[in-house]
Amino acid sequence: MGEVSVIFAYLVFFNVVLSYGMETAFFRFYNSEDNKKNVVSTSTISLFWSSLVFLVLGLLFRNNLASWSDIKVEYITYTIWILTLDALAIIPFSKLRAERNPIKYAAIKIGNVSISLLLTLFFLAILPELAANNPDGIFSMIYSRNYQIGYIFISFIVASLATFLVLIPNYTKIAWNFDKALWKKMMTYGLPILFAGIAFAINEHFDKILLDWMHVPMSEIGAYSACYKIGMFMVLFRTAYTLGIEPFFFSHASNENAQQTYATITKYFVIFGSFICLFVIVFADLLKQVLVPNDNYWDAMKVVPLIVLANFFLGIYSNLSVWYKLIDKTRIGAYISLIGAAITLILNWLLIPSMSYYGSAIATIVAYGSMMIISYKWGQNHYPIPYDFNRIFSYLGLTILFSAISFYIPYLRENYIVKIGLLALYLYFIYYSEKETLLRIIKRKAK
């Protein structure tokens, strides 16, 4: 678990570099340009050739990369192919989102995850038994002992290749017209997002690399990474929301009441997100039985509330960051992300020697919390949005308070009657605060 998490942390950085902000630039110009086919073809051609160049250079210098990162050459080779295939799928997936085709988008994404999951289960859990039961059979020929990490990468390559094959019609059906003037505008818009993405990758994943560099035992990194995954419910909610909301923000930018719409959406994101956040923390010790069944990892459970709240803060920041994208000042997003990255690096450097991975979790929540506050303050000066600050702050504050009570007080952590009571009390607080809106919705549906 520790080795795989470190390798995948590197992979995230290259994912950001290979997209170089073109995904967000695609949405911006797809909604503003009259010739949408031109936007699709230009962005597709750009990513197609940059991905092929990366593939060739990566394979040529894979030995150098392996020596620098202290990762096996074959794992570097697998990673290069995965990154290339994923980069080639960026614009086809973005086009599905822009055209509001969530069923096809979700089907392909779920197919990708299902293939990688099933193959991983086969290679790690089923193949060893088949090989042991049939020592002279075909399964023993393809089975290699102590090759678990390699099998994980093979599973991801097959999944990425299958996804690309499904999306190939997007390459065969476009008019291969490259608009150089449009491309320059898209690059000008997207490059600051590249730096913001690198900074985001530092905030989200560089802690695993730093833990390795600072000689934290790989077993502790593995435990941290395993318990980190309990926060996936908040990550899933935030990711699904972001995938749908970014095209919506751009398509409604010219509406007269756009700011009020953004404010309302943000408030309800906080309402739903805060409930998910509190729910996961309240039932974290039950969720670990399913998601992290090996009790050797449970020493790292103390990071779960921090990671869940950190991802919640990141989701709020994603809402608050709409302003600089709409006014074409994406460099401001890069500045904010770089501030967050600086906080992450400094706090990790200061806290890891004495607190190990718990210091990394603290750095993550402080970084995302700071980015959220900075974006709000800065945005109100450039693109005022009438957020319902009092209610948003109330929901956020109550979530943090109830999470701390239910998780960090030993007696209450084991008392599910009290914890469920806190969850019910929070739901009542939401109902009481939003009663007028809820009644209006009910009356409208009744008609």
Side-chain angles (χ1 to χ4, degrees):
M1 177 66 76
E3 289 178 273
V4 170
S5 64
V6 171
I7 295 171
F8 272 72
Y10 282 110
L11 189 145
V12 170
F13 280 88
F14 283 99
N15 260 325
V16 172
V17 173
L18 284 175
S19 66
Y20 48 87
M22 189 58 70
E23 183 177 19
T24 303
F26 172 85
F27 291 120
R28 176 68 179 87
F29 289 92
Y30 189 86
N31 284 284
S32 63
E33 293 287 318
D34 294 328
N35 190 344
K36 300 186 186 305
K37 291 183 178 179
N38 203 28
V39 176
V40 174
S41 62
T42 299
S43 54
T44 300
I45 292 169
S46 179
L47 279 170
F48 176 79
W49 285 111
S50 61
S51 299
L52 290 187
V53 169
F54 167 79
L55 175 64
V56 172
L57 292 177
L59 293 177
L60 284 174
F61 294 100
R62 55 187 168 180
N63 290 318
N64 303 80
L65 290 170
S67 176
W68 172 78
S69 62
D70 198 26
I71 297 172
K72 290 183 179 179
V73 174
E74 59 185 313
Y75 300 159
I76 294 291
T77 305
Y78 293 149
T79 301
I80 291 168
W81 279 104
I82 293 170
L83 287 166
T84 301
L85 291 168
D86 288 350
L88 291 171
I90 289 173
I91 296 303
F93 274 130
S94 299
K95 186 170 177 285
L96 289 175
R97 290 168 59 192
E99 294 176 347
R100 300 181 185 180
N101 194 344
I103 302 299
K104 186 175 181 180
Y105 179 95
I108 298 172
K109 285 288 188 179
I110 291 170
N112 177 288
V113 173
S114 299
I115 291 171
S116 61
L117 173 62
L118 291 173
L119 283 176
T120 301
L121 288 173
F122 171 75
F123 284 130
L124 300 188
I126 299 174
L127 182 60
E129 292 187 11
L130 292 174
N133 295 332
N134 301 276
D136 298 322
I138 187 172
F139 293 113
S140 62
M141 294 175 61
I142 63 175
Y143 175 65
S144 178
R145 193 181 300 273
N146 298 321
Y147 195 63
Q148 292 92 336
I149 295 176
Y151 285 137
I152 291 172
F153 276 102
I154 291 172
S155 301
F156 275 91
I157 287 178
V158 174
S160 295
L161 179 60
T163 299
F164 176 68
L165 292 175
V166 172
L167 296 171
I168 273 185
N170 290 272
Y171 283 90
T172 58
K173 291 180 180 179
I174 67 167
W176 283 70
N177 298 322
F178 186 77
D179 188 330
K180 189 174 181 181
L182 174 62
W183 181 78
K184 286 182 178 179
K185 290 193 291 184
M186 295 181 78
M187 291 297 291
T188 301
Y189 183 90
L191 282 178
I193 295 173
L194 164 61
F195 294 108
I198 292 173
F200 168 79
I202 291 173
N203 294 330
E204 187 75 2
H205 297 282
F206 200 62
D207 52 354
K208 285 86 172 177
I209 297 173
L210 281 174
L211 287 166
D212 184 32
W213 285 359
M214 299 180 77
H215 307 295
V216 172
M218 197 60 72
S219 59
E220 291 188 18
I221 300 175
Y224 173 56
S225 300
C227 291
Y228 202 104
K229 295 181 185 299
I230 295 179
M232 73 179 193
F233 294 100
M234 179 55 64
V235 175
L236 286 171
F237 170 67
R238 171 176 59 80
T239 302
Y241 171 84
T242 303
L243 288 172
I245 207 63
E246 193 170 51
F248 174 86
F249 281 154
F250 285 117
S251 63
H252 283 68
S254 58
N255 290 3
E256 185 177 348
N257 62 340
Q259 285 94 331
Q260 183 59 54
T261 301
Y262 300 151
T264 303
I265 289 172
T266 300
K267 184 178 75 169
Y268 284 101
F269 172 85
V270 172
I271 290 173
F272 285 105
S274 61
F275 174 74
I276 294 171
C277 182
L278 184 58
F279 183 91
V280 171
I281 293 172
V282 162
F283 293 106
D285 287 317
L286 296 179
L287 292 172
K288 74 181 181 185
Q289 304 285 344
V290 178
L291 299 176
V292 191
N294 189 335
D295 58 7
N296 290 323
Y297 295 106
W298 291 354
D299 285 342
M301 278 297 296
K302 59 187 176 181
V303 306
V304 170
L306 298 182
I307 298 305
V308 174
L309 283 167
N311 277 286
F312 184 33
F313 290 168
L314 181 59
I316 298 173
Y317 167 73
S318 297
N319 278 276
L320 300 177
S321 66
V322 64
W323 64 272
Y324 62 74
K325 296 177 182 178
L326 294 176
I327 63 175
D328 293 346
K329 291 188 177 181
T330 51
R331 67 180 184 279
I332 294 176
Y335 298 153
I336 296 173
S337 296
L338 288 170
I339 292 171
I343 293 171
T344 297
L345 293 173
I346 292 170
L347 287 182
N348 270 286
W349 181 71
L350 292 174
L351 298 178
I352 285 176
S354 59
M355 304 178 73
S356 187
Y357 54 77
Y358 194 68
S360 295
I362 292 173
T364 301
I365 192 171
V366 172
Y368 287 150
S370 301
M371 290 167 60
M372 175 181 68
I373 294 169
I374 293 169
S375 183
Y376 170 75
K377 293 291 187 181
W378 203 340
Q380 292 304 89
N381 293 329
H382 291 271
Y383 189 85
I385 296 176
Y387 295 112
D388 191 346
F389 180 78
N390 291 333
R391 289 191 181 180
I392 288 175
F393 184 78
S394 298
Y395 297 137
L396 190 57
L398 205 58
T399 299
I400 294 172
L401 176 63
F402 283 1
S403 297
I405 291 173
S406 65
F407 193 89
Y408 289 112
I409 297 177
Y411 169 73
L412 295 181
R413 182 170 173 177
E414 300 174 0
N415 191 326
Y416 281 93
I417 295 176
V418 174
K419 295 204 292 188
I420 293 172
L422 289 173
L423 199 59
L425 180 61
Y426 183 71
L427 284 173
Y428 176 76
F429 179 75
I430 292 174
Y431 168 76
Y432 180 81
S433 301
E434 303 296 326
K435 182 167 54 178
E436 293 182 5
T437 304
L438 291 172
L439 290 175
R440 282 200 304 270
I441 293 172
I442 292 170
K443 289 179 180 177
R444 190 181 306 161
K445 288 187 175 182
K447 292 179 181 180

